[in-house]
Amino acid sequence: EEEEGYYYGFSNEGLWPLCHLTFVRPAFRPQDWAHYRTVNRRFADSIKNEARSERPLILLQDFHVALVPGYLRERLPLATIALFWHIPWPNPASFGICPWKTELLQAMLQADIIGFHTRFHCQNFLATVDRFVESHIDQEHSTVTIGGHTCHVNPYPISIEWPPHWLDTQRPVADCRRNIRRHVQTQGLGGRAFGARAAAVVMPDCQQHQRRR
């Protein structure tokens, strides 16, 4: 019952379509909200029980745990809490559909850092806070201060590492090409293909460059 209300109900039928601005109107039911709160409190209790100090570093992931920062701040007031919101954040008018918008925002803002994919999502979030929560917003530094606590709102784009760190250990591409020409003196497509394979055997560190061209 809790899974239906917390996960499939409030999270997936409410917050997910709300934040993605889908053509399906979000479904917000009081019983789902009650389960969402219960499960979020349970997550916070579990984290508190597993914490090894009074100042743990805690990373929370996604919209399923939006209330956990608030519950954790009550249980571990000295903790450093980061929340990454893995989906878009809509404009204030759209988010205003949620009946419990203020409670959600107030709880999220108990994190020290809230991360979004893009600066645009950060701006939407700050505009939403400005609309529905009594707080001080510093647009220049992208922070929100509420009740003496300051939360930083920043973009953290998800992508592959580029340039990859292992490139520093490889020979320059130009050197690999010169070595291939020097070691292989064959003509024709078949010979050139054989030559590239032979060079990879002679100089394995050049093989990485050939695969990534």
Side-chain angles (χ1 to χ4, degrees), residues 184-195:
V184 181
Q185 301 295 330
T186 58
Q187 295 181 351
L189 181 60
R192 292 181 186 277
F194 173 80

Side-chain angles (χ1 to χ4, degrees), residues 18 30 58 107 120 135 158 178 187:
L18 174 69
I58 302 167
F120 178 69
S135 61
I158 291 182
R178 282 195 298 270
Q187 295 181 351

Side-chain angles (χ1 to χ4, degrees), residues 12-26 90 94 97:
N12 286 4
E13 293 184 12
L15 289 179
W16 196 94
L18 174 69
C19 290
H20 282 87
L21 299 177
T22 63
F23 292 104
V24 178
R25 183 176 177 83
S94 297
I97 295 173

Side-chain angles (χ1 to χ4, degrees), residues 152-197:
H152 298 260
V153 181
N154 296 314
Y156 299 97
I158 291 182
S159 64
I160 62 172
E161 178 189 15
W162 188 261
H165 66 277
W166 51 260
L167 279 181
D168 296 335
T169 65
Q170 303 297 312
R171 294 184 184 182
V173 174
D175 289 352
C176 291
R177 289 173 177 167
R178 282 195 298 270
N179 288 330
I180 289 174
R181 296 189 186 101
R182 185 170 64 248
H183 283 277
V184 181
Q185 301 295 330
T186 58
Q187 295 181 351
L189 181 60
R192 292 181 186 277
F194 173 80
R197 290 195 296 270

Side-chain angles (χ1 to χ4, degrees), residues 108-184:
M108 292 175 65
L109 289 169
Q110 288 304 306
D112 296 283
I113 301 172
I114 299 178
F116 295 93
H117 284 294
T118 68
R119 173 62 63 185
F120 178 69
H121 296 160
C122 293
Q123 292 171 343
N124 275 352
F125 178 78
L126 292 176
T128 303
V129 172
D130 189 43
R131 176 80 63 88
F132 299 115
V133 178
E134 186 69 29
S135 61
H136 173 72
I137 299 176
D138 185 335
Q139 295 287 351
E140 180 181 359
H141 298 96
S142 194
T143 62
V144 179
T145 301
I146 178 173
H149 174 76
T150 298
C151 176
H152 298 260
V153 181
N154 296 314
Y156 299 97
I158 291 182
S159 64
I160 62 172
E161 178 189 15
W162 188 261
H165 66 277
W166 51 260
L167 279 181
D168 296 335
T169 65
Q170 303 297 312
R171 294 184 184 182
V173 174
D175 289 352
C176 291
R177 289 173 177 167
R178 282 195 298 270
N179 288 330
I180 289 174
R181 296 189 186 101
R182 185 170 64 248
H183 283 277
V184 181

